[in-house]
Amino acid sequence: MQIKCETSMRHVHLTEKDLQTLFGEGAKLELERELSQPGQFLAKQRVTLIGKSQKSFENVGIIGPTRSASQVEISRTDAFALGLKDVPLRLSGDLDGDIPLVTVQNGEATVLAKAIIAKRHMHLDPVTAKKIGVSHGDAMKIKVGGSRAAVLDQVIARVDSNFTSAVHLDSDEANAVGNPQIIEIE
Amino acid sequence: MQIKCETSMRHVHLTEKDLQTLFGEGAKLELERELSQPGQFLAKQRVTLIGKSQKSFENVGIIGPTRSASQVEISRTDAFALGLKDVPLRLSGDLDGDIPLVTVQNGEATVLAKAIIAKRHMHLDPVTAKKIGVSHGDAMKIKVGGSRAAVLDQVIARVDSNFTSAVHLDSDEANAVGNPQIIEIE
């Protein structure tokens, strides 16, 4: 079975409160582009990420809608560049425990947010999940062909009636296996 | 069978001529650190890489000894950052055909060098190669465990009596599979 594969570039999720702090009272995330998962969108607003090194990342996207906790999602390559050594590999929203903080900046305004490397995962609608025979939370294997052919294990199934079926890799993972648009389930 | 796994960061190989252009007549590469492959070393000298974007990479290492052709080795992540779209995936030294050029800079001096993304490969001494049952040029599979477990296919065997057995991944690949120190041959 073949599933669409998408690459998540570095991005930020913000609380309403942090959004107001960064962009002013009453600020709303403005729609630039809808993403594959219903309701999720890339906002027009951009921020700068600052870690512990001289290197910073400008023009970083914000994914809406706002959430109950702000969160920065970066690749391991980004983490090294920002001088952050212990950025954990986590599913989005799993922010428990000691996690390095990144400064999220817009002009003079800043907030701090926990930084994670998003664990690779597969969004699945319940019908597709049943067809494949996997449940929410299962670790799956996906297969990629071509000159950087690979089988990636530990792709976590995320099943929800609101989801469109799609694998999400981070930029390190996508680059390492040749930036596939489609993968096969192993 | 287990083999050591090393990550190749972005780096440059230079001809004697390009070395003189960048560092002055009579310049020699100075040893900073020996690498795992006998005779190969990281030089003390550093260069800056400039592509087609505003982004450049400073403090990039040079690997000695000098070669018959200058060459820049970067990751796909680096290629995107430098604004280079068609950097090919190649074995080191395979520079035939149209390949994007990168400006290699030291102070006011610059040279142009072809840029490649190094195809993942495994250095093998002939005894180990025979034990595994692979020949020079064969595509192999390697297995990595842990939270980013994977099987990477298309790891090209490089067999030479001067080699120490080691897998070389680029930074995207190493990060994508959890920066392994040791891999298993599948």
Side-chain angles (χ1 to χ4, degrees):
Chain A
M1 181 167 208
Q2 296 191 322
I3 300 274
K4 179 170 63 175
C5 185
E6 300 175 320
T7 305
S8 299
M9 303 304 294
R10 69 183 77 99
H11 66 271
V12 171
H13 298 277
L14 294 175
T15 61
E16 275 295 326
K17 180 160 177 280
D18 285 348
L19 176 64
Q20 315 291 319
T21 302
L22 289 171
F23 292 94
E25 210 176 318
K28 294 284 166 204
L29 289 175
E30 297 169 48
L31 174 75
E32 176 168 317
R33 177 167 60 83
E34 291 187 344
L35 301 177
S36 67
Q37 297 311 312
Q40 300 288 301
F41 64 94
L42 176 67
K44 283 183 182 165
Q45 291 97 329
R46 293 288 184 276
V47 290
T48 296
L49 302 184
I50 302 165
K52 293 191 168 179
S53 66
Q54 284 197 307
K55 162 90 184 166
S56 62
F57 289 115
E58 297 176 2
N59 202 32
V60 174
I62 305 167
I63 293 185
T66 52
R67 290 194 177 186
S68 59
S70 293
Q71 167 184 314
V72 170
E73 293 184 43
I74 55 179
S75 69
R76 182 70 68 195
T77 296
D78 293 343
F80 284 131
L82 291 173
L84 301 173
K85 281 182 184 169
D86 299 311
V87 179
L89 186 71
R90 293 282 182 91
L91 288 168
S92 185
D94 176 5
L95 299 173
D96 285 349
D98 259 356
I99 293 184
L101 296 171
V102 165
T103 300
V104 181
Q105 183 185 53
N106 176 47
E108 302 287 300
T110 61
V111 299
L112 287 171
K114 288 184 171 181
I116 62 168
I117 295 163
K119 196 163 168 60
R120 49 199 181 219
H121 56 279
M122 188 183 302
H123 293 273
L124 289 167
D125 62 80
V127 174
T128 307
K130 196 172 178 186
K131 199 185 293 178
I132 301 169
V134 296
S135 302
H136 187 75
D138 285 355
M140 306 174 64
K141 290 183 185 181
I142 63 169
K143 189 174 183 175
V144 179
S147 60
R148 301 185 100 173
V151 173
L152 297 180
D153 195 352
Q154 296 295 321
V155 179
I156 307 300
R158 313 306 291 162
V159 183
D160 190 291
S161 55
N162 193 37
F163 285 164
T164 297
S165 295
V167 171
H168 284 178
L169 301 180
D170 77 1
S171 51
D172 286 337
E173 293 164 339
N175 289 335
V177 300
N179 308 98
Q181 306 293 303
I182 296 281
I183 58 86
E184 278 184 36
I185 294 171
E186 248 271 291
Chain B
M1 183 168 209
Q2 296 191 322
I3 300 274
K4 179 171 62 174
C5 185
E6 299 176 320
T7 305
S8 299
M9 301 305 293
R10 69 182 78 96
H11 65 271
V12 172
H13 298 278
L14 294 174
T15 62
E16 275 295 327
K17 180 161 178 281
D18 284 348
L19 177 64
Q20 315 292 317
T21 303
L22 288 171
F23 292 94
E25 211 177 318
K28 294 286 167 203
L29 288 176
E30 297 168 49
L31 174 75
E32 176 166 318
R33 177 167 60 84
E34 293 188 341
L35 301 179
S36 68
Q37 297 310 312
Q40 301 288 301
F41 64 93
L42 176 67
K44 282 184 183 166
Q45 291 96 330
R46 293 289 185 276
V47 291
T48 296
L49 302 184
I50 302 165
K52 293 190 166 178
S53 67
Q54 286 198 304
K55 163 89 187 168
S56 63
F57 289 116
E58 297 176 3
N59 201 33
V60 175
I62 305 168
I63 292 183
T66 53
R67 290 193 177 187
S68 60
S70 292
Q71 166 184 313
V72 171
E73 293 183 44
I74 55 178
S75 68
R76 181 71 68 197
T77 296
D78 293 343
F80 284 130
L82 292 172
L84 301 173
K85 280 181 185 171
D86 300 311
V87 178
L89 186 71
R90 294 281 182 90
L91 287 168
S92 186
D94 176 5
L95 299 173
D96 287 349
D98 260 356
I99 292 185
L101 296 171
V102 165
T103 300
V104 181
Q105 183 185 53
N106 175 46
E108 301 288 300
T110 61
V111 299
L112 287 171
K114 288 184 172 181
I116 63 167
I117 295 164
K119 197 164 167 58
R120 49 198 181 220
H121 55 279
M122 189 183 301
H123 294 274
L124 289 167
D125 63 80
V127 174
T128 308
K130 196 173 178 187
K131 198 185 295 179
I132 301 171
V134 297
S135 302
H136 188 74
D138 285 355
M140 306 173 64
K141 290 183 186 181
I142 62 171
K143 188 174 183 176
V144 180
S147 59
R148 302 184 101 173
V151 173
L152 297 180
D153 196 353
Q154 295 296 318
V155 179
I156 308 300
R158 315 306 292 161
V159 183
D160 190 290
S161 56
N162 194 37
F163 284 164
T164 297
S165 295
V167 171
H168 284 180
L169 302 180
D170 79 359
S171 51
D172 286 338
E173 293 164 339
N175 289 335
V177 301
N179 308 97
Q181 306 293 303
I182 297 280
I183 59 84
E184 276 185 36
I185 294 170
E186 248 269 291

